[in-house]
PDB file of all heavy atoms in Angstrom:
ATOM      1  N   GLN A 217      12.497  -4.589   9.035  1.00 98.00           N
ATOM      2  CA  GLN A 217      11.622  -3.498   8.808  1.00 98.00           C
ATOM      3  C   GLN A 217      10.454  -3.963   8.111  1.00 98.00           C
ATOM      4  O   GLN A 217       9.265  -3.598   8.363  1.00 98.00           O
ATOM      5  CB  GLN A 217      12.293  -2.349   8.002  1.00 98.00           C
ATOM      6  CG  GLN A 217      13.161  -1.492   9.161  1.00 98.00           C
ATOM      7  CD  GLN A 217      13.714  -0.368   8.244  1.00 98.00           C
ATOM      8  OE1 GLN A 217      14.692  -0.299   7.375  1.00 98.00           O
ATOM      9  NE2 GLN A 217      13.151   0.815   8.588  1.00 98.00           N
ATOM     10  N   VAL A 218      10.715  -4.699   6.942  1.00 98.00           N
ATOM     11  CA  VAL A 218       9.512  -5.188   6.212  1.00 98.00           C
ATOM     12  C   VAL A 218       8.639  -6.148   6.876  1.00 98.00           C
ATOM     13  O   VAL A 218       7.410  -6.120   6.857  1.00 98.00           O
ATOM     14  CB  VAL A 218      10.099  -5.814   4.846  1.00 98.00           C
ATOM     15  CG1 VAL A 218       8.846  -6.526   4.118  1.00 98.00           C
ATOM     16  CG2 VAL A 218      10.781  -4.949   3.963  1.00 98.00           C
ATOM     17  N   GLU A 219       9.325  -7.051   7.728  1.00 98.00           N
ATOM     18  CA  GLU A 219       8.480  -7.956   8.526  1.00 98.00           C
ATOM     19  C   GLU A 219       7.652  -7.198   9.500  1.00 98.00           C
ATOM     20  O   GLU A 219       6.470  -7.544   9.689  1.00 98.00           O
ATOM     21  CB  GLU A 219       9.509  -8.853   9.319  1.00 98.00           C
ATOM     22  CG  GLU A 219       8.765  -9.985  10.131  1.00 98.00           C
ATOM     23  CD  GLU A 219       9.775 -10.862  10.752  1.00 98.00           C
ATOM     24  OE1 GLU A 219      10.875 -10.402  11.068  1.00 98.00           O
ATOM     25  OE2 GLU A 219       9.411 -11.963  11.123  1.00 98.00           O
ATOM     26  N   LEU A 220       8.051  -6.177  10.140  1.00 98.00           N
ATOM     27  CA  LEU A 220       7.379  -5.481  10.996  1.00 98.00           C
ATOM     28  C   LEU A 220       6.154  -4.697  10.356  1.00 98.00           C
ATOM     29  O   LEU A 220       5.011  -4.534  10.843  1.00 98.00           O
ATOM     30  CB  LEU A 220       8.121  -4.480  11.842  1.00 98.00           C
ATOM     31  CG  LEU A 220       9.131  -4.963  12.877  1.00 98.00           C
ATOM     32  CD1 LEU A 220      10.110  -4.038  13.482  1.00 98.00           C
ATOM     33  CD2 LEU A 220       8.302  -5.760  13.945  1.00 98.00           C
ATOM     34  N   GLY A 221       6.458  -4.312   9.070  1.00 98.00           N
ATOM     35  CA  GLY A 221       5.470  -3.591   8.305  1.00 98.00           C
ATOM     36  C   GLY A 221       4.361  -4.564   7.922  1.00 98.00           C
ATOM     37  O   GLY A 221       3.184  -4.155   8.084  1.00 98.00           O
ATOM     38  N   ILE A 222       4.530  -5.830   7.701  1.00 98.00           N
ATOM     39  CA  ILE A 222       3.580  -6.766   7.513  1.00 98.00           C
ATOM     40  C   ILE A 222       2.725  -7.118   8.809  1.00 98.00           C
ATOM     41  O   ILE A 222       1.455  -7.074   8.660  1.00 98.00           O
ATOM     42  CB  ILE A 222       4.318  -8.118   7.170  1.00 98.00           C
ATOM     43  CG1 ILE A 222       4.942  -8.043   5.684  1.00 98.00           C
ATOM     44  CG2 ILE A 222       3.214  -9.340   7.110  1.00 98.00           C
ATOM     45  CD1 ILE A 222       5.776  -9.327   5.373  1.00 98.00           C
ATOM     46  N   HIS A 223       3.401  -6.995   9.945  1.00 98.00           N
ATOM     47  CA  HIS A 223       2.584  -7.252  11.232  1.00 98.00           C
ATOM     48  C   HIS A 223       1.790  -5.942  11.508  1.00 98.00           C
ATOM     49  O   HIS A 223       0.571  -6.190  11.930  1.00 98.00           O
ATOM     50  CB  HIS A 223       3.521  -7.357  12.405  1.00 98.00           C
ATOM     51  CG  HIS A 223       4.408  -8.626  12.376  1.00 98.00           C
ATOM     52  ND1 HIS A 223       4.016  -9.758  11.781  1.00 98.00           N
ATOM     53  CD2 HIS A 223       5.730  -8.869  12.773  1.00 98.00           C
ATOM     54  CE1 HIS A 223       4.905 -10.723  11.916  1.00 98.00           C
ATOM     55  NE2 HIS A 223       5.943 -10.249  12.556  1.00 98.00           N
ATOM     56  N   ARG A 224       2.240  -4.857  11.109  1.00 98.00           N
ATOM     57  CA  ARG A 224       1.472  -3.569  11.383  1.00 98.00           C
ATOM     58  C   ARG A 224       0.132  -3.701  10.455  1.00 98.00           C
ATOM     59  O   ARG A 224      -0.990  -3.341  10.866  1.00 98.00           O
ATOM     60  CB  ARG A 224       2.235  -2.498  11.056  1.00 98.00           C
ATOM     61  CG  ARG A 224       3.416  -2.083  12.068  1.00 98.00           C
ATOM     62  CD  ARG A 224       4.076  -0.848  11.926  1.00 98.00           C
ATOM     63  NE  ARG A 224       5.101  -0.597  12.838  1.00 98.00           N
ATOM     64  CZ  ARG A 224       6.350  -0.686  12.652  1.00 98.00           C
ATOM     65  NH1 ARG A 224       6.840  -1.212  11.433  1.00 98.00           N
ATOM     66  NH2 ARG A 224       7.232  -0.646  13.513  1.00 98.00           N
ATOM     67  N   ILE A 225       0.260  -4.048   9.210  1.00 98.00           N
ATOM     68  CA  ILE A 225      -0.837  -4.209   8.207  1.00 98.00           C
ATOM     69  C   ILE A 225      -1.929  -5.215   8.786  1.00 98.00           C
ATOM     70  O   ILE A 225      -3.081  -5.052   8.752  1.00 98.00           O
ATOM     71  CB  ILE A 225      -0.313  -4.532   6.827  1.00 98.00           C
ATOM     72  CG1 ILE A 225       0.363  -3.251   6.223  1.00 98.00           C
ATOM     73  CG2 ILE A 225      -1.532  -4.773   5.871  1.00 98.00           C
ATOM     74  CD1 ILE A 225       1.073  -3.624   4.919  1.00 98.00           C
ATOM     75  N   GLN A 226      -1.341  -6.319   9.262  1.00 98.00           N
ATOM     76  CA  GLN A 226      -2.195  -7.381   9.700  1.00 98.00           C
ATOM     77  C   GLN A 226      -3.072  -6.984  10.922  1.00 98.00           C
ATOM     78  O   GLN A 226      -4.090  -7.227  11.047  1.00 98.00           O
ATOM     79  CB  GLN A 226      -1.291  -8.722   9.993  1.00 98.00           C
ATOM     80  CG  GLN A 226      -0.869  -9.400   8.751  1.00 98.00           C
ATOM     81  CD  GLN A 226       0.118 -10.465   9.010  1.00 98.00           C
ATOM     82  OE1 GLN A 226       0.826 -10.427  10.121  1.00 98.00           O
ATOM     83  NE2 GLN A 226       0.288 -11.361   8.157  1.00 98.00           N
ATOM     84  N   ASN A 227      -2.392  -6.175  11.752  1.00 98.00           N
ATOM     85  CA  ASN A 227      -3.069  -5.627  12.897  1.00 98.00           C
ATOM     86  C   ASN A 227      -4.163  -4.619  12.483  1.00 98.00           C
ATOM     87  O   ASN A 227      -5.245  -4.680  13.022  1.00 98.00           O
ATOM     88  CB  ASN A 227      -2.162  -5.019  13.920  1.00 98.00           C
ATOM     89  CG  ASN A 227      -1.228  -6.082  14.652  1.00 98.00           C
ATOM     90  OD1 ASN A 227      -1.739  -7.212  14.820  1.00 98.00           O
ATOM     91  ND2 ASN A 227      -0.033  -5.640  15.039  1.00 98.00           N
ATOM     92  N   ALA A 228      -3.774  -3.812  11.683  1.00 98.00           N
ATOM     93  CA  ALA A 228      -4.667  -2.734  11.201  1.00 98.00           C
ATOM     94  C   ALA A 228      -5.962  -3.392  10.393  1.00 98.00           C
ATOM     95  O   ALA A 228      -7.066  -2.813  10.345  1.00 98.00           O
ATOM     96  CB  ALA A 228      -4.093  -1.727  10.364  1.00 98.00           C
ATOM     97  N   MET A 229      -5.721  -4.558   9.818  1.00 98.00           N
ATOM     98  CA  MET A 229      -6.813  -5.148   8.993  1.00 98.00           C
ATOM     99  C   MET A 229      -7.873  -5.760   9.909  1.00 98.00           C
ATOM    100  O   MET A 229      -9.010  -5.890   9.422  1.00 98.00           O
ATOM    101  CB  MET A 229      -6.203  -6.343   8.190  1.00 98.00           C
ATOM    102  CG  MET A 229      -5.493  -5.891   6.969  1.00 98.00           C
ATOM    103  SD  MET A 229      -4.728  -7.260   6.100  1.00 98.00           S
ATOM    104  CE  MET A 229      -6.223  -8.421   5.780  1.00 98.00           C
ATOM    105  N   LYS A 230      -7.660  -5.835  11.236  1.00 97.00           N
ATOM    106  CA  LYS A 230      -8.696  -6.303  12.043  1.00 97.00           C
ATOM    107  C   LYS A 230      -9.796  -5.385  12.155  1.00 97.00           C
ATOM    108  O   LYS A 230     -11.078  -5.692  12.161  1.00 97.00           O
ATOM    109  CB  LYS A 230      -8.145  -6.593  13.414  1.00 97.00           C
ATOM    110  CG  LYS A 230      -7.135  -7.622  13.546  1.00 97.00           C
ATOM    111  CD  LYS A 230      -6.445  -7.715  14.902  1.00 97.00           C
ATOM    112  CE  LYS A 230      -5.236  -8.868  15.005  1.00 97.00           C
ATOM    113  NZ  LYS A 230      -4.648  -8.880  16.221  1.00 97.00           N
ATOM    114  N   SER A 231      -9.494  -4.103  12.025  1.00 97.00           N
ATOM    115  CA  SER A 231     -10.499  -2.987  12.101  1.00 97.00           C
ATOM    116  C   SER A 231     -11.365  -2.941  10.804  1.00 97.00           C
ATOM    117  O   SER A 231     -12.495  -2.738  10.706  1.00 97.00           O
ATOM    118  CB  SER A 231      -9.936  -1.627  12.381  1.00 97.00           C
ATOM    119  OG  SER A 231      -9.284  -1.668  13.600  1.00 97.00           O
ATOM    120  N   LEU A 232     -10.505  -3.236   9.692  1.00 98.00           N
ATOM    121  CA  LEU A 232     -11.302  -3.305   8.405  1.00 98.00           C
ATOM    122  C   LEU A 232     -12.241  -4.446   8.245  1.00 98.00           C
ATOM    123  O   LEU A 232     -13.121  -4.416   7.375  1.00 98.00           O
ATOM    124  CB  LEU A 232     -10.203  -3.341   7.229  1.00 98.00           C
ATOM    125  CG  LEU A 232      -9.362  -2.088   6.980  1.00 98.00           C
ATOM    126  CD1 LEU A 232      -8.456  -2.319   5.834  1.00 98.00           C
ATOM    127  CD2 LEU A 232     -10.140  -0.871   6.703  1.00 98.00           C
ATOM    128  N   SER A 233     -12.151  -5.378   9.113  1.00 97.00           N
ATOM    129  CA  SER A 233     -13.062  -6.577   8.988  1.00 97.00           C
ATOM    130  C   SER A 233     -14.383  -6.313   9.391  1.00 97.00           C
ATOM    131  O   SER A 233     -15.310  -7.136   9.285  1.00 97.00           O
ATOM    132  CB  SER A 233     -12.337  -7.763   9.642  1.00 97.00           C
ATOM    133  OG  SER A 233     -11.249  -8.122   8.959  1.00 97.00           O
ATOM    134  N   GLU A 234     -14.597  -5.143  10.091  1.00 98.00           N
ATOM    135  CA  GLU A 234     -15.912  -4.829  10.711  1.00 98.00           C
ATOM    136  C   GLU A 234     -16.598  -3.933   9.721  1.00 98.00           C
ATOM    137  O   GLU A 234     -16.117  -2.828   9.332  1.00 98.00           O
ATOM    138  CB  GLU A 234     -15.565  -4.034  11.986  1.00 98.00           C
ATOM    139  CG  GLU A 234     -16.811  -3.750  12.863  1.00 98.00           C
ATOM    140  CD  GLU A 234     -16.522  -3.201  14.228  1.00 98.00           C
ATOM    141  OE1 GLU A 234     -15.501  -3.567  14.772  1.00 98.00           O
ATOM    142  OE2 GLU A 234     -17.222  -2.305  14.691  1.00 98.00           O
TER     143      GLU A 234
END
Side-chain angles (χ1 to χ4, degrees):
Q217 281 188 285
V218 175
E219 184 179 25
L220 289 172
I222 292 171
H223 294 330
R224 291 184 180 105
I225 289 172
Q226 290 171 335
N227 286 333
M229 280 176 61
K230 295 173 185 176
S231 299
L232 289 183
S233 298
E234 190 171 324

